[in-house]
Short mmCIF file of all heavy atoms in Angstrom, two decimals:
data_model
loop_
_atom_site.label_atom_id
_atom_site.label_comp_id
_atom_site.label_asym_id
_atom_site.label_seq_id
_atom_site.Cartn_x
_atom_site.Cartn_y
_atom_site.Cartn_z
N MET A 1 2.29 -14.25 -23.42
CA MET A 1 2.62 -15.45 -22.56
C MET A 1 3.88 -15.21 -21.76
O MET A 1 3.90 -15.68 -20.57
CB MET A 1 2.71 -16.60 -23.53
CG MET A 1 2.70 -17.86 -22.80
SD MET A 1 1.12 -18.12 -21.94
CE MET A 1 0.97 -19.81 -21.94
N PRO A 2 4.89 -14.55 -22.22
CA PRO A 2 6.11 -14.33 -21.37
C PRO A 2 5.73 -13.52 -20.13
O PRO A 2 6.37 -13.72 -19.13
CB PRO A 2 7.08 -13.61 -22.29
CG PRO A 2 6.66 -13.90 -23.72
CD PRO A 2 5.21 -14.12 -23.57
N THR A 3 4.76 -12.62 -20.20
CA THR A 3 4.34 -11.82 -19.11
C THR A 3 3.77 -12.69 -18.02
O THR A 3 4.01 -12.52 -16.84
CB THR A 3 3.39 -10.76 -19.60
OG1 THR A 3 3.83 -9.92 -20.65
CG2 THR A 3 2.95 -9.86 -18.45
N VAL A 4 2.97 -13.70 -18.40
CA VAL A 4 2.32 -14.60 -17.42
C VAL A 4 3.45 -15.45 -16.78
O VAL A 4 3.40 -15.58 -15.58
CB VAL A 4 1.35 -15.51 -18.11
CG1 VAL A 4 0.78 -16.59 -17.12
CG2 VAL A 4 0.19 -14.69 -18.67
N ALA A 5 4.46 -15.84 -17.45
CA ALA A 5 5.53 -16.59 -16.88
C ALA A 5 6.37 -15.79 -15.86
O ALA A 5 6.68 -16.24 -14.85
CB ALA A 5 6.42 -17.17 -18.08
N ALA A 6 6.59 -14.49 -16.34
CA ALA A 6 7.27 -13.63 -15.37
C ALA A 6 6.52 -13.38 -14.08
O ALA A 6 7.05 -13.37 -13.02
CB ALA A 6 7.70 -12.28 -16.08
N LEU A 7 5.18 -13.18 -14.27
CA LEU A 7 4.31 -12.92 -13.12
C LEU A 7 4.30 -14.15 -12.22
O LEU A 7 4.45 -14.06 -10.99
CB LEU A 7 2.88 -12.63 -13.59
CG LEU A 7 1.92 -12.54 -12.48
CD1 LEU A 7 2.23 -11.22 -11.64
CD2 LEU A 7 0.49 -12.40 -13.06
N LEU A 8 4.17 -15.32 -12.81
CA LEU A 8 4.24 -16.52 -12.00
C LEU A 8 5.59 -16.68 -11.24
O LEU A 8 5.56 -17.07 -10.06
CB LEU A 8 3.98 -17.78 -12.89
CG LEU A 8 3.83 -19.09 -12.18
CD1 LEU A 8 2.70 -19.14 -11.32
CD2 LEU A 8 3.73 -20.21 -13.22
N PHE A 9 6.62 -16.42 -11.90
CA PHE A 9 7.99 -16.52 -11.29
C PHE A 9 8.08 -15.63 -10.05
O PHE A 9 8.54 -15.99 -9.07
CB PHE A 9 9.07 -16.12 -12.33
CG PHE A 9 10.41 -16.06 -11.72
CD1 PHE A 9 11.16 -17.15 -11.34
CD2 PHE A 9 10.95 -14.79 -11.50
CE1 PHE A 9 12.43 -17.04 -10.74
CE2 PHE A 9 12.26 -14.66 -10.92
CZ PHE A 9 12.91 -15.78 -10.53
N PHE A 10 7.63 -14.31 -10.24
CA PHE A 10 7.69 -13.38 -9.17
C PHE A 10 6.78 -13.69 -7.98
O PHE A 10 7.19 -13.56 -6.81
CB PHE A 10 7.46 -11.99 -9.59
CG PHE A 10 8.57 -11.39 -10.45
CD1 PHE A 10 8.43 -11.09 -11.72
CD2 PHE A 10 9.84 -11.22 -9.86
CE1 PHE A 10 9.47 -10.56 -12.52
CE2 PHE A 10 10.93 -10.68 -10.58
CZ PHE A 10 10.67 -10.37 -11.89
N VAL A 11 5.65 -14.24 -8.27
CA VAL A 11 4.74 -14.68 -7.19
C VAL A 11 5.37 -15.85 -6.42
O VAL A 11 5.39 -15.90 -5.22
CB VAL A 11 3.35 -15.06 -7.75
CG1 VAL A 11 2.47 -15.75 -6.79
CG2 VAL A 11 2.66 -13.78 -8.33
N VAL A 12 5.79 -16.83 -7.09
CA VAL A 12 6.46 -17.97 -6.44
C VAL A 12 7.72 -17.50 -5.67
O VAL A 12 7.90 -17.97 -4.53
CB VAL A 12 6.87 -19.04 -7.45
CG1 VAL A 12 7.68 -20.20 -6.85
CG2 VAL A 12 5.56 -19.70 -8.09
N ALA A 13 8.53 -16.67 -6.25
CA ALA A 13 9.69 -16.16 -5.54
C ALA A 13 9.29 -15.44 -4.24
O ALA A 13 9.92 -15.58 -3.20
CB ALA A 13 10.50 -15.32 -6.44
N ALA A 14 8.27 -14.67 -4.31
CA ALA A 14 7.78 -13.83 -3.15
C ALA A 14 7.22 -14.88 -1.99
O ALA A 14 7.55 -14.68 -0.93
CB ALA A 14 6.67 -12.92 -3.46
N LEU A 15 6.58 -15.92 -2.45
CA LEU A 15 6.08 -16.88 -1.46
C LEU A 15 7.23 -17.68 -0.85
O LEU A 15 7.19 -17.98 0.37
CB LEU A 15 5.08 -17.81 -2.18
CG LEU A 15 3.70 -17.14 -2.52
CD1 LEU A 15 2.79 -18.14 -3.28
CD2 LEU A 15 3.03 -16.63 -1.29
N VAL A 16 8.16 -18.02 -1.66
CA VAL A 16 9.35 -18.77 -1.11
C VAL A 16 10.16 -17.90 -0.13
O VAL A 16 10.58 -18.34 0.88
CB VAL A 16 10.23 -19.27 -2.27
CG1 VAL A 16 11.57 -19.76 -1.67
CG2 VAL A 16 9.46 -20.33 -2.99
N ALA A 17 10.19 -16.61 -0.42
CA ALA A 17 10.97 -15.70 0.48
C ALA A 17 10.19 -15.51 1.71
O ALA A 17 10.82 -15.44 2.80
CB ALA A 17 11.07 -14.32 -0.29
N LEU A 18 8.91 -15.39 1.72
CA LEU A 18 8.13 -15.34 2.95
C LEU A 18 8.17 -16.60 3.78
O LEU A 18 8.32 -16.53 4.99
CB LEU A 18 6.68 -15.03 2.60
CG LEU A 18 6.34 -13.57 2.40
CD1 LEU A 18 4.81 -13.43 1.95
CD2 LEU A 18 6.60 -12.66 3.62
N LEU A 19 8.21 -17.73 3.13
CA LEU A 19 8.36 -18.99 3.84
C LEU A 19 9.70 -19.10 4.48
O LEU A 19 9.87 -19.46 5.66
CB LEU A 19 8.18 -20.19 2.85
CG LEU A 19 8.33 -21.56 3.49
CD1 LEU A 19 7.29 -21.81 4.55
CD2 LEU A 19 8.18 -22.58 2.35
N ALA A 20 10.79 -18.66 3.83
CA ALA A 20 12.14 -18.65 4.33
C ALA A 20 12.22 -17.66 5.56
O ALA A 20 12.84 -18.05 6.55
CB ALA A 20 13.13 -18.33 3.25
N LEU A 21 11.55 -16.54 5.37
CA LEU A 21 11.59 -15.61 6.51
C LEU A 21 10.85 -16.22 7.76
O LEU A 21 11.27 -15.97 8.83
CB LEU A 21 10.91 -14.35 6.02
CG LEU A 21 10.89 -13.21 7.04
CD1 LEU A 21 12.27 -12.73 7.46
CD2 LEU A 21 9.99 -12.04 6.53
N ALA A 22 9.77 -16.85 7.45
CA ALA A 22 9.07 -17.51 8.61
C ALA A 22 9.84 -18.59 9.26
O ALA A 22 9.78 -18.73 10.52
CB ALA A 22 7.76 -18.23 8.06
N LEU A 23 10.66 -19.23 8.55
CA LEU A 23 11.64 -20.25 9.19
C LEU A 23 12.64 -19.62 9.98
O LEU A 23 13.09 -20.17 10.96
CB LEU A 23 12.18 -21.14 8.08
CG LEU A 23 11.34 -22.08 7.35
CD1 LEU A 23 12.03 -22.80 6.19
CD2 LEU A 23 10.65 -23.09 8.26
N VAL A 24 13.10 -18.41 9.63
CA VAL A 24 14.13 -17.72 10.42
C VAL A 24 13.50 -17.01 11.61
O VAL A 24 14.00 -17.19 12.72
CB VAL A 24 14.84 -16.64 9.51
CG1 VAL A 24 15.77 -15.82 10.33
CG2 VAL A 24 15.57 -17.35 8.43
N ASP A 25 12.41 -16.17 11.42
CA ASP A 25 11.82 -15.51 12.51
C ASP A 25 10.35 -15.31 12.18
O ASP A 25 9.99 -14.47 11.38
CB ASP A 25 12.55 -14.22 12.76
CG ASP A 25 12.00 -13.51 14.10
OD1 ASP A 25 11.28 -14.15 14.79
OD2 ASP A 25 12.33 -12.31 14.16
N ILE A 26 9.45 -16.03 12.81
CA ILE A 26 8.02 -16.07 12.49
C ILE A 26 7.42 -14.68 12.88
O ILE A 26 6.41 -14.27 12.29
CB ILE A 26 7.33 -17.14 13.17
CG1 ILE A 26 5.87 -17.41 12.69
CG2 ILE A 26 7.18 -17.01 14.72
CD1 ILE A 26 5.81 -17.92 11.26
N ARG A 27 7.97 -13.89 13.79
CA ARG A 27 7.34 -12.62 14.23
C ARG A 27 7.41 -11.59 13.13
O ARG A 27 6.71 -10.62 13.18
CB ARG A 27 8.04 -12.13 15.48
CG ARG A 27 7.75 -12.98 16.77
CD ARG A 27 8.60 -12.46 17.87
NE ARG A 27 10.03 -12.67 17.48
CZ ARG A 27 10.98 -11.94 18.04
NH1 ARG A 27 10.76 -11.01 18.89
NH2 ARG A 27 12.25 -12.18 17.64
N THR A 28 8.29 -11.72 12.15
CA THR A 28 8.47 -10.74 11.15
C THR A 28 7.56 -10.92 9.97
O THR A 28 7.40 -9.99 9.06
CB THR A 28 9.95 -10.67 10.63
OG1 THR A 28 10.27 -11.97 10.02
CG2 THR A 28 10.90 -10.35 11.72
N VAL A 29 6.89 -12.03 9.83
CA VAL A 29 5.98 -12.35 8.69
C VAL A 29 4.84 -11.36 8.57
O VAL A 29 4.59 -10.86 7.50
CB VAL A 29 5.60 -13.81 8.70
CG1 VAL A 29 4.63 -14.14 7.50
CG2 VAL A 29 6.76 -14.70 8.48
N PRO A 30 4.08 -11.08 9.60
CA PRO A 30 2.86 -10.22 9.45
C PRO A 30 3.24 -8.78 8.93
O PRO A 30 2.61 -8.31 8.02
CB PRO A 30 2.24 -10.21 10.76
CG PRO A 30 2.63 -11.55 11.46
CD PRO A 30 3.98 -11.74 10.98
N PRO A 31 4.24 -8.17 9.53
CA PRO A 31 4.57 -6.80 8.99
C PRO A 31 5.06 -6.86 7.50
O PRO A 31 4.76 -6.00 6.77
CB PRO A 31 5.73 -6.33 9.94
CG PRO A 31 5.67 -7.19 11.10
CD PRO A 31 5.07 -8.48 10.66
N ILE A 32 5.90 -7.86 7.21
CA ILE A 32 6.37 -8.00 5.77
C ILE A 32 5.23 -8.18 4.86
O ILE A 32 5.16 -7.63 3.81
CB ILE A 32 7.51 -9.03 5.71
CG1 ILE A 32 8.66 -8.70 6.63
CG2 ILE A 32 7.97 -9.26 4.31
CD1 ILE A 32 9.40 -7.39 6.20
N SER A 33 4.32 -9.21 5.18
CA SER A 33 3.30 -9.46 4.24
C SER A 33 2.32 -8.32 4.16
O SER A 33 1.72 -8.18 3.09
CB SER A 33 2.55 -10.84 4.77
OG SER A 33 2.08 -10.62 6.04
N GLY A 34 2.19 -7.58 5.25
CA GLY A 34 1.28 -6.37 5.16
C GLY A 34 1.91 -5.34 4.22
O GLY A 34 1.16 -4.74 3.43
N THR A 35 3.20 -5.17 4.34
CA THR A 35 3.83 -4.32 3.37
C THR A 35 3.78 -4.70 1.97
O THR A 35 3.51 -3.95 1.07
CB THR A 35 5.39 -4.13 3.76
OG1 THR A 35 5.41 -3.69 5.13
CG2 THR A 35 6.08 -3.16 2.95
N CYS A 36 3.88 -6.10 1.71
CA CYS A 36 3.76 -6.60 0.36
C CYS A 36 2.35 -6.29 -0.12
O CYS A 36 2.13 -5.96 -1.32
CB CYS A 36 4.01 -8.05 0.36
SG CYS A 36 5.75 -8.41 0.61
N ALA A 37 1.33 -6.54 0.66
CA ALA A 37 -0.12 -6.33 0.27
C ALA A 37 -0.27 -4.82 -0.06
O ALA A 37 -0.98 -4.49 -1.09
CB ALA A 37 -1.06 -6.70 1.38
N LEU A 38 0.30 -3.90 0.69
CA LEU A 38 0.21 -2.49 0.45
C LEU A 38 0.80 -2.09 -0.95
O LEU A 38 0.34 -1.40 -1.77
CB LEU A 38 0.83 -1.64 1.53
CG LEU A 38 0.87 -0.12 1.28
CD1 LEU A 38 -0.59 0.39 1.31
CD2 LEU A 38 1.74 0.57 2.38
N ILE A 39 2.08 -2.67 -1.18
CA ILE A 39 2.71 -2.37 -2.43
C ILE A 39 1.91 -2.95 -3.61
O ILE A 39 1.76 -2.16 -4.64
CB ILE A 39 4.18 -3.03 -2.36
CG1 ILE A 39 5.01 -2.23 -1.41
CG2 ILE A 39 4.81 -3.01 -3.75
CD1 ILE A 39 6.38 -2.77 -1.10
N LEU A 40 1.43 -4.14 -3.52
CA LEU A 40 0.52 -4.67 -4.57
C LEU A 40 -0.70 -3.89 -4.78
O LEU A 40 -1.12 -3.66 -6.03
CB LEU A 40 0.25 -6.14 -4.25
CG LEU A 40 1.39 -7.15 -4.37
CD1 LEU A 40 0.91 -8.50 -4.00
CD2 LEU A 40 1.87 -7.16 -5.83
N THR A 41 -1.27 -3.32 -3.71
CA THR A 41 -2.52 -2.52 -3.89
C THR A 41 -2.17 -1.22 -4.59
O THR A 41 -2.93 -0.84 -5.53
CB THR A 41 -3.09 -2.29 -2.50
OG1 THR A 41 -3.36 -3.48 -1.84
CG2 THR A 41 -4.39 -1.41 -2.63
N LEU A 42 -1.08 -0.59 -4.14
CA LEU A 42 -0.66 0.68 -4.90
C LEU A 42 -0.33 0.41 -6.33
O LEU A 42 -0.65 1.20 -7.21
CB LEU A 42 0.49 1.30 -4.14
CG LEU A 42 0.18 1.79 -2.70
CD1 LEU A 42 1.36 2.32 -2.02
CD2 LEU A 42 -0.95 2.89 -2.79
N ALA A 43 0.28 -0.70 -6.59
CA ALA A 43 0.65 -1.09 -7.99
C ALA A 43 -0.64 -1.28 -8.88
O ALA A 43 -0.65 -0.78 -10.03
CB ALA A 43 1.52 -2.26 -8.10
N ALA A 44 -1.59 -1.97 -8.31
CA ALA A 44 -2.84 -2.20 -9.00
C ALA A 44 -3.59 -0.88 -9.22
O ALA A 44 -4.23 -0.67 -10.27
CB ALA A 44 -3.68 -3.18 -8.21
N LEU A 45 -3.58 -0.02 -8.17
CA LEU A 45 -4.22 1.25 -8.38
C LEU A 45 -3.54 2.10 -9.47
O LEU A 45 -4.17 2.75 -10.30
CB LEU A 45 -4.11 2.03 -7.06
CG LEU A 45 -4.74 3.43 -7.07
CD1 LEU A 45 -6.23 3.41 -7.38
CD2 LEU A 45 -4.40 4.17 -5.70
N ALA A 46 -2.20 2.02 -9.53
CA ALA A 46 -1.49 2.77 -10.57
C ALA A 46 -1.86 2.19 -11.94
O ALA A 46 -1.99 3.02 -12.92
CB ALA A 46 0.08 2.69 -10.33
N VAL A 47 -1.92 0.91 -12.11
CA VAL A 47 -2.23 0.39 -13.36
C VAL A 47 -3.66 0.78 -13.72
O VAL A 47 -3.91 1.09 -14.96
CB VAL A 47 -2.10 -1.24 -13.30
CG1 VAL A 47 -2.82 -1.85 -14.55
CG2 VAL A 47 -0.65 -1.59 -13.16
N ALA A 48 -4.57 0.78 -12.78
CA ALA A 48 -6.00 1.17 -13.03
C ALA A 48 -6.07 2.64 -13.48
O ALA A 48 -6.86 2.96 -14.41
CB ALA A 48 -6.87 0.90 -11.88
N VAL A 49 -5.29 3.48 -12.85
CA VAL A 49 -5.34 4.87 -13.25
C VAL A 49 -4.69 5.14 -14.58
O VAL A 49 -5.26 5.97 -15.38
CB VAL A 49 -4.55 5.70 -12.10
CG1 VAL A 49 -4.25 7.11 -12.57
CG2 VAL A 49 -5.36 5.73 -10.84
N LEU A 50 -3.64 4.43 -14.87
CA LEU A 50 -3.00 4.61 -16.24
C LEU A 50 -3.79 4.07 -17.37
O LEU A 50 -3.63 4.52 -18.53
CB LEU A 50 -1.58 3.98 -16.17
CG LEU A 50 -0.56 4.64 -15.22
CD1 LEU A 50 0.75 3.90 -15.32
CD2 LEU A 50 -0.34 6.14 -15.76
N ARG A 51 -4.71 3.16 -17.11
CA ARG A 51 -5.53 2.66 -18.14
C ARG A 51 -6.74 3.55 -18.32
O ARG A 51 -7.44 3.83 -19.03
CB ARG A 51 -6.02 1.21 -17.81
CG ARG A 51 -4.89 0.19 -17.98
CD ARG A 51 -5.36 -1.16 -17.85
NE ARG A 51 -4.54 -2.03 -18.60
CZ ARG A 51 -4.83 -3.15 -19.05
NH1 ARG A 51 -6.02 -3.65 -18.89
NH2 ARG A 51 -3.96 -3.90 -19.75
#
């Protein structure tokens, strides 16, 4: 259960950070969100390979 709470915290923190970034400069959101998607994809691949 603590793992789920930590995951939820990090997801909410990432979404709040993207929202704050959008308020500062909307043009930077697509490259940053694309980079986040790439990092999450690589992390999921690493977990799948290690299992």
Side-chain angles (χ1 to χ4, degrees):
M1 195 61 150
T3 305
V4 175
L7 177 66
L8 184 63
F9 171 76
F10 285 116
V11 168
V12 170
L15 290 175
V16 169
L18 279 175
L19 180 63
L21 183 62
L23 291 174
V24 173
D25 187 9
I26 193 70
R27 294 173 296 152
T28 60
V29 173
I32 297 296
S33 58
T35 302
C36 291
L38 175 65
I39 291 170
L40 288 175
T41 302
L42 292 175
L45 178 64
V47 168
V49 167
L50 291 176
R51 286 187 152 204

